[in-house]
Structures are given as structure tokens and as C-alpha cells.
Amino acid sequence: MVSSFYRLVRKIREINHRYSEPHIEMSRGVRISLLALRIYLVVLVGLIVYKFVMIVN
Amino acid sequence: MNLFSKLYYKFRKFWKAIQLYLVIAGPGLVVMVADNDAGGITTYAATGAKYGYNLIWFLLLLIPVAYYVQEMTVRLGAVTKRGHAEAIFDGFGAFWGWFSLIDLMILDWLTLVTEFIGMTSALQIFGIPPWVTVAGVVALMGMIVLNGRYWTWEKIALLFCALNLIYIPGAFMVHPDVSAILKDGLVPNFPGGFNGELFFFLMANIGTTIAPWMLFFQQSAVVDKGMLEKDIPWGKFDTLLGATLTVVVAIFIVVVTGTVLKGVDIDSASQAAEHLLKTDHYVGTFMAIGLFDAGLLGAICISLASSWAFGEIFGWAHSLNQKIKEARWFYASYFFTLVTAGLVVLIPGAPLVLITLFVQVVAVTLLPAALVFLILLLNDKKHMGEYCNTLTENLIGGFIVVTIVVLSTLYGISVLFPQMFQ
């Protein structure tokens, strides 16, 4: 069980290393799109958390 | 004689084209028809019951929407020979890759639960207890994938796609007013004015047409099938046929409930089937069978979408062409998601309504990301070469993606804060 867990951790590290750099050409359009996506997700997650807190209260 | 030989030549050419298509056919057709899953059937049944035939025109608009988004996955899969998850990891790095993969896993699992809800409630109408349905579905799906061939799996899935057409005879049996369908259904109109409730229904219909798992599923299926660049035109045709078929089926569902149940509030497709059973036994039975088939088809595809994605990233063998011994983790993750989702439905007092709503909320966190990545990857000249998006494709695809992102986000927000749309 413990060795399986360590194998999984090793595998995840290997994946992170393999894909550490994006291979798509980082043009200005791509950078803007990814930034917009980050903002969108932060706002959305904020709304979900707000709703969750409202339900809990 | 010359005329006959020309006709014979044309017939042979046509027949060869059909034979070629039948070899390529599959991913587009299966993913599109599976899009009419248990949640989709509920949305269409509720739309028909609420607005009659008045929103048929809107459903027709969804054919190009579904086609343009999904055909991009065909090109991406055939050219890069990589699934969507792997393409995101490689293109945008580990952060966006893990985000997409984990989000996909959660969303697929929740959606799978909703498919089991649909299947169990459909068969409960015939007196079959939920545990029998869950056990039967898991066994059936096990048999479908364990034969060790993608081809066989695909043809069985296509058989279930054909069963999805059961709504068409059902619609004819309720004797709808054809002139009313043409008059009210084909002319764009907003019944009762454009209000919050109508907007909610329009968004729900869009939300059921494009789901994140579809992008991951079709691209992985294209890769597993071994489609090449030369197969792209047929892959596109397959997708167009699927998009048309799925909307046609949706329209026939709207016709059934719009004819028989207009004015009745429908919360689920099984509830619609129960109402229909009281008025016409056969139509109600068709609705229940169709709901079960929709849930099964959705479950078949969704569970595979996750397993393929994990296989691609973790480097496990992940093809339906491989036996259990060769692809242990692929099949293990497939059955794990399937069995756990089925068990949730059997838990007494499980928050099934909450799960159904949560699916829509989680979907809006993954769908925009998956669509944006799709457009960006299709513009990556280094990997896509001549199959890169053209300016026209970018304009059409971009417009569709922006529209879907805005509307699905509003749909997600309307689920979180329903009072905003009343």
C-alpha cells in the first residue's frame, strides 16, 4: 500500500517534469487567453465558495 | 447501354463511398447521440412541456454549434495522435493539465451518477428495483468493453445509438399538429416574451448540447480508432451526421411532450414517461426505454472519457484493443468510476438532486477552459500544420466558443443563484 503510494507520487513528479514547459508557442494571444481564463476561474470559484458559505450559514 | 454503364459506375462509386464511411463512422455519431443522455432527455422533455413546439427553431441552431466544436477534436486527434488531456498537458504545461484532468474526473463521475439516476428511474417504471438495474448495467458495460476490440465496442455503441431513435415513432403516435409545428416551431420566437425562465431553458438546452466530456471522448476515440489525416473529411461528415441526428431526436422528444404534456411542469424525464403512460401506454413505454438507453449510452462514453484521459497522462496502456492483462489500470479506472457512481444511487437518502445541480456548476469550470484550449491548439501551426484553423474557422469557432462560455456561465450562475433569473 505504502509502496503503491510512493510509486504514484514518483509518477506524478515524473509527469510534472515531463510537462514542466508548455510546448505551444506562447504568442501574445495565447498569453491573454490564459490570463482571461485564470481570472474567469478565480471569479467562478469565488462565487461557488460564496454560495457554499451561504448554505453553511 | 452507355447510360446503364454510367449509372452502374455512379452506383459503384456511391456504394464505395458508403463502405468507406462505414469504416470511419463511429466516434462522431456515438459522441453526438450519447450527448442526448439522461440529463439531455429531461431538458428536452421539460422544454416541450413548458413551451410546446415554440423552441424547435432554437434546437436547429444547435446543429452547427455542436458540429463546429466537435469537428475540431477530429482534426486535433487525427493529426497529433494524442487525446485531449495529453494535448493540454503538452501544450499548456502541468498546471493546466492537472486542472483539466482533475476537473474532468470529478465532472465525469458526477455525470455518471446522473446517468444512473436516469436509468434506475426509467426501469423503476417497469417495476425493476434500482439495485438490479445498477448490477445489470455494470455487467453489460463490462461485457461490452472486455471483448478486447475497439471495433466491437463501437458497433455495440452504435446499436444503442439506433435505439435512441425510439422517440421518432413515439412522436408520430401522439398525432402532433404538423401545421402547428411548422408555424410555431420553425419561425424564431420567444413564447411569452424573453424572460428569466425562458433564458434558463435556452441555456439548459445549450448546456446539454456541448459537454466537456464530449471533447475528451471524441478526440481519444479518434486516436484509439487509429484515424489518420486522410480520414478527416469522413470524420467531419460523421460528426455532422451525429450532430444532425442528436438534434432531430431532441426535436421529436419536444414534439411528444409538447403535444401531450403542454402546460405540465416536468422535473425529470421519468416523470414525463409516467405522465405519458397515463395517456398512451406505448408512448410512455417508449419514453422510459429511451431514457434508459440515453443513460446507458451516456455512461458508456463518459466512463471511457476519464479512463482514456488518465491512461494518456500516466502512460498506462489505454486502448480498447488491449486485453485486461495488457491494460489493467485502464480497465480498473473504468470499472472503479462505474461501480462507485452506481453505488451512490443505491445509498438511501443520497443527495441526488444536489448532485444533478452540482454537475452543471462543475461543468462551467471545465467547459470554457477545454474550449479555449481547443481553439488555441487548433491554431498551433507547429503541430497542426496544414490542418490548422483557417480565419473563417477561427471566426465561426471563436464566436461559438464565446457564446457557449457566456451562456453556460450564466446557466451555472443561475443554478447557484436561481433568484437572479426569476
Side-chain angles (χ1 to χ4, degrees), chain A residues 8 11-12 15-16 18-19 21-26 30 33-34 37-38 40-41 44 47-48 50-51 54, chain B residues 86 89-96 98-99 313-314 361 364-365 368-369 373 376 380 382 409 416-417:
Chain A
L8 182 70
K11 189 80 196 168
I12 290 170
I15 293 166
N16 285 341
R18 197 188 330 152
Y19 298 111
E21 290 297 320
H23 289 115
I24 198 167
E25 196 189 328
M26 280 290 162
V30 173
S33 302
L34 293 180
L37 201 57
R38 275 201 168 95
Y40 170 86
L41 288 169
L44 205 66
L47 279 174
I48 294 170
Y50 171 70
K51 179 70 181 182
M54 268 174 44
Chain B
E86 198 181 347
F89 264 92
D90 186 62
F92 303 98
F95 170 78
W96 287 114
W98 285 118
F99 164 78
I313 300 310
F314 280 85
V361 177
V364 293
T365 61
F373 293 146
L376 295 178
D380 182 22
K382 196 170 80 182
T409 305
L416 281 172
F417 308 99

Side-chain angles (χ1 to χ4, degrees), chain B residues 28-177:
Chain B
L29 213 52
V30 172
V31 76
M32 285 297 182
V33 180
D35 181 38
N36 278 349
D37 62 352
I41 303 291
T42 296
T43 304
Y44 303 133
T47 303
K50 182 80 186 172
Y51 296 107
Y53 312 136
N54 290 70
L55 293 183
I56 287 176
W57 64 272
F58 184 75
L59 290 175
L60 286 169
L61 289 180
L62 298 179
I63 295 176
V65 171
Y67 168 73
Y68 275 108
V69 170
Q70 290 299 132
E71 76 83 19
M72 285 194 270
T73 65
V74 177
R75 273 187 287 149
L76 199 53
V79 174
T80 63
K81 316 284 183 289
R82 283 193 305 227
H84 201 53
E86 198 181 347
I88 293 172
F89 264 92
D90 186 62
F92 303 98
F95 170 78
W96 287 114
W98 285 118
F99 164 78
S100 302
L101 190 67
I102 293 167
D103 218 353
L104 177 78
M105 182 187 74
I106 296 168
L107 184 60
D108 278 1
W109 188 81
L110 289 169
T111 314
L112 207 50
V113 174
T114 66
E115 306 302 353
F116 272 106
I117 296 170
M119 285 187 280
T120 50
S121 60
L123 292 194
Q124 254 182 320
I125 293 171
F126 304 117
I128 298 171
W131 72 267
V132 176
T133 307
V134 170
V137 165
V138 172
L140 180 67
M141 287 176 62
M143 282 190 285
I144 293 172
V145 296
L146 292 182
N147 62 70
R149 281 192 70 190
Y150 174 87
W151 191 91
T152 316
W153 170 85
E154 189 182 81
K155 296 314 165 215
I156 294 171
L158 283 172
L159 197 70
F160 286 115
C161 287
L163 194 59
N164 208 257
L165 302 176
I166 200 166
Y167 295 105
I168 297 175
F172 283 104
M173 286 163 77
V174 297
H175 306 295
D177 183 351

